[in-house]
Amino acid sequence: MNAPSTSSAQPSLTVTSVDRAMRRRLLTDKWFRILMVVGGLGVIVAISAIFFYLASVVVPLFQEPEIERPQRFAVPGDATRPAVTLITDELREQVLRVQPDAHIIVVRYDDGRELGRTRVALPAGAKPLSAAVADRASGVFAFGLDDGRVVVAKAGFKVSFDAQSRRVIEPEVAYPAGSDPIDLGANGRALQLLAVQSSESGTTVAALTEDGRVLVNGIEIERNPITGAESVNSNGAELTPTPPQVRQLLIEYKQRELYVLAGANELWRYDISDKAKPELLEKVTLTAAGERVTALTMLSGGFSLIVGTERGALAQWFPVREEGTRFKLTHIRDFPAMPAAITALEPEHHRKGFMAGDAQGHLGSYFATSKRLLFLRRLTEQPIVALAYPPRGNGYMVEDAGGQMHTAIVHNDYPEVSFYATWQKVWYESYEEPAYVWQSSAANADFEPKFSLAPLTYGTLKATFYAMMVAVPLAILGAIYTAYFMSPRVRGMVKPTIEVMEALPTVILGFLAGLWLAPFVENNLAGVLLTLFTFPLAFVLAAWLFHLLPESLRQRVPPGWEAALLVPVTMAQIWLCLTIGHPLEAWLFDGDMPNWLSNVAGITFEQRNSLVVGIAMGFAVTPTIFSIAEDAVFSVPKHLTTGSLALGATPWQTLWRVVLLTASPGIFSAVMIGLGRAVGETMIVLMATGNTAVMDFSIFTGFRTLAANIGVEMPEAGVGETHYRLLFLSALVLFGFTFVVNTAAELVRQKLRERYQTI
């Protein structure tokens, strides 16, 4: 009996090696699958993290102000009459309450505890009957006396440090128009109403006397730099004509205009640049018939008026240029109304914000440029009679008719931002009409913020449009010809060459576009435009002439090498167009087409314009679109094309009915990727345009894109400020735009794939 064979019990070496290879393959596949899942999740997490980080920086822009530590205490001093003004130090520690009797009471901001008293120096026996406040940041106020004279004072705080290095705050009173009272020429008549404005250039006072006259006086103090002696120069006159029923006087910040509120709702505007010759400019009705103006103030900067009415309505007015140097006071915008009649208005020190108080004790905080109601809250059941901001706008002080004072800390860092201010036309001060404007900085603190993202978004779309107009036809048609008609040898040279172009840094392209292409286009504008318009025509003409050649000559050109014949044709076409461009300019455009466009046709021409950017960005985007589209066309299965040709279809019919339909998902993806590249491009548009944020679709003007704006201004933006967060909002807009476009593109690509995968 034979022994059992061991070969059947043990696997052969071949089977063992195959099993080991299969296990290694399965293990590799498993790890690769895990790696792909982790990588995919990592991409999703990274993109989500970017989104949430951008959102975390942007969200505070649109949050309501936070109000902390609201306090309520009895008004110090005389509570029967509202304060002339309330002045706070920078750190909200002390408040100066200037009373109508010229006494100044110093109290703590947070609890109203009295710390001391002082008084404005008045002439012996004189009694203050009226008072006025200048620009809030100046701390200047004035008292009109019963003998027709005026005392102008300035209150503030003197900060020092004691022996223990503790901060000591002391009130101080100065007299910017001199310590002697100002005689307005009222002939001893009491002053019932008063207005004042003071700066380093001088002081202007306007007053209504008890006999109905309105007087204006300008005071300048000249100091001898050697002796320190002061001389006072005064110049004034009486307003003619005099408005009837004068209720309020306001002097513009630069002391060039005077506003007089007369009757129920009529405003008289005077030019007081020459104090000796006041001139009536216009009379304006501020409200509808039967509606009475109950409060009037000027915003920071002294350009805009805020008008409050008995119905709680609030409106902004400012002068708008009409013809030459003529201005007309114009109603600009309305704000959300208060619940009751407006009883007090107060402008912010250095921004275009203001507070309003009404007859039912409501306090509303507004910002003019953004047309935004920041908060509305009821503090008391009594009418509000006085309001004040701390210097930094980070709190409020309110007096009501019941003798109570209300204070609080307000975190109000981004009042300039709203949907209206960032995406709609805004009528800015000194502008002749509403406009989209991005202007993130200015030379003074009275600057009105101009943070419209509309021109930046428009510029981004404009740049993308012109770049795609250049890139898409060249890239798609070139990819189709290279993949379908070109010989393998030529394709092996052309495709790598174009793909190498994709690696060219865009900063180089931007440098060349800004320093070489832009001047070249300007100097040869007619020739360049002629080149662009005749480019397709030259190809068609060359193909038609090639078709007319004898068969023997055409057969000498190897299949797939026809495109090489277009190289000299293209060079000749460009040379011919540039050559005849200058005679054409001399004949039709007086030898200077850019100048003719700007001065004759009324079309603005800028050297660094959309045409230059379109050519440069098109050159940058073309390799990306070409490479992906060419791969999509070349990847169409050969059995589809050969089957179509075998059934009698021509190469063009096969291309149109089979190849393009099958490759359409890939071609569409190529266009979308190119679009994304164009949207996010920074260096080319930064260097090849004028970076002007304008809403103009002309091919001869520049623009500013979101990406370029971020690149230019982010290094200068203060961390956490409005400007800084708005740049992040720009990035979020770009992120959202690319996300939406890519998502839509993927959906379309899937639909195309499902539709044509059965071909």
Side-chain angles (χ1 to χ4, degrees), residues 664-666 668-669 744-754:
S664 59
F668 186 77
S669 297
E746 181 62 22
L747 294 176
V748 173
R749 190 181 70 84
Q750 291 294 341
K751 292 291 184 181
L752 291 174
R753 175 176 291 181
E754 293 173 2

Side-chain angles (χ1 to χ4, degrees), residues 153-168:
K154 178 178 181 179
F157 296 90
K158 179 182 178 181
V159 180
S160 60
F161 294 89
D162 59 16
Q164 287 75 35
S165 299
R166 291 176 300 188
R167 187 168 175 266
V168 179

Side-chain angles (χ1 to χ4, degrees), residues 436-439 452 455-456 459 690-696 702-705 709:
Y436 299 104
V437 182
W438 172 273
Q439 183 182 349
S452 176
L456 305 179
N691 276 317
T692 50
V694 296
M695 300 279 284
D696 186 357
F703 49 85
R704 176 178 283 199
T705 65
N709 189 62

Side-chain angles (χ1 to χ4, degrees), residues 576-748:
L576 181 62
C577 290
L578 295 178
T579 301
I580 66 177
H582 290 290
L584 195 64
E585 280 194 63
W587 177 38
L588 298 176
F589 308 109
D590 298 329
D592 191 348
M593 188 175 179
N595 181 68
W596 183 89
L597 287 172
S598 299
N599 299 323
V600 179
I603 301 173
T604 303
F605 179 87
E606 299 172 359
Q607 185 189 71
R608 299 187 179 188
N609 51 45
S610 303
L611 177 61
V612 174
V613 174
I615 296 173
M617 280 185 61
F619 186 82
V621 173
T622 294
T624 301
I625 302 177
F626 171 87
S627 180
I628 300 174
E630 200 275 342
D631 287 338
V633 175
F634 190 77
S635 299
V636 174
K638 296 299 181 183
H639 67 270
L640 295 179
T641 57
T642 55
S644 174
L645 294 172
L647 291 174
T650 64
W652 278 104
Q653 288 175 329
T654 300
L655 173 68
W656 186 254
R657 300 293 180 86
V658 178
V659 176
L660 291 184
L661 295 182
T662 306
S664 59
I667 296 175
F668 186 77
S669 297
V671 173
M672 288 299 103
I673 293 175
L675 178 67
R677 166 104 187 254
V679 167
E681 179 55 48
T682 302
M683 294 309 301
I684 293 178
V685 295
L686 191 62
M687 303 176 71
T689 71
N691 276 317
T692 50
V694 296
M695 300 279 284
D696 186 357
F697 200 71
S698 171
I699 197 172
F700 300 119
T701 58
F703 49 85
R704 176 178 283 199
T705 65
L706 290 167
N709 189 62
I710 295 171
V712 169
E713 299 191 4
M714 183 59 77
E716 302 176 357
V719 176
E721 295 182 355
T722 302
H723 181 206
Y724 176 85
R725 295 184 185 276
L726 279 171
L727 293 178
F728 272 81
L729 178 59
S730 302
L732 189 62
V733 170
L734 273 178
F735 184 94
F737 179 79
T738 54
F739 178 80
V740 170
V741 169
N742 289 337
T743 301
E746 181 62 22
L747 294 176
V748 173

Side-chain angles (χ1 to χ4, degrees), residues 412-586:
N412 182 27
D413 297 325
Y414 316 108
E416 309 94 338
V417 181
S418 67
F419 180 85
Y420 166 78
T422 52
W423 297 108
Q424 298 182 11
K425 281 188 176 182
V426 179
W427 203 334
Y428 300 102
E429 294 178 348
S430 300
Y431 279 60
E432 298 179 7
E433 60 184 6
Y436 299 104
V437 182
W438 172 273
Q439 183 182 349
S440 58
S441 62
N444 57 64
D446 298 320
F447 162 68
E448 185 174 21
K450 303 174 180 67
F451 289 132
S452 176
L453 295 181
L456 305 179
T457 305
Y458 187 89
T460 302
L461 297 177
K462 181 181 178 181
T464 303
F465 174 79
Y466 285 118
M468 298 301 284
M469 286 285 291
V470 173
V472 169
L474 290 178
I476 297 300
L477 296 178
I480 292 172
Y481 184 84
T482 302
Y484 188 70
F485 294 103
M486 191 172 284
S487 66
R489 182 182 176 184
V490 179
R491 178 178 179 270
M493 294 184 293
V494 171
K495 191 173 187 298
T497 302
I498 296 179
E499 289 178 344
V500 167
M501 290 168 49
E502 189 175 358
L504 188 65
T506 55
V507 67
I508 302 298
L509 297 177
F511 178 81
L512 293 175
L515 296 185
W516 171 75
L517 182 60
F520 179 82
V521 170
E522 183 183 28
N523 296 329
N524 302 273
L525 184 58
V528 171
L529 293 177
L530 192 63
T531 300
L532 295 177
F533 283 111
T534 59
F535 201 70
L537 181 63
F539 281 15
V540 174
L541 181 62
W544 180 68
L545 293 176
F546 181 77
H547 180 72
L548 296 180
L549 292 176
E551 182 72 19
S552 58
L553 293 178
R554 284 189 282 124
Q555 291 295 331
R556 293 183 179 182
V557 180
W561 283 81
E562 294 86 355
L565 299 178
L566 289 176
V567 175
V569 172
T570 301
M571 297 176 63
Q573 181 255 346
I574 295 175
W575 174 83
L576 181 62
C577 290
L578 295 178
T579 301
I580 66 177
H582 290 290
L584 195 64
E585 280 194 63

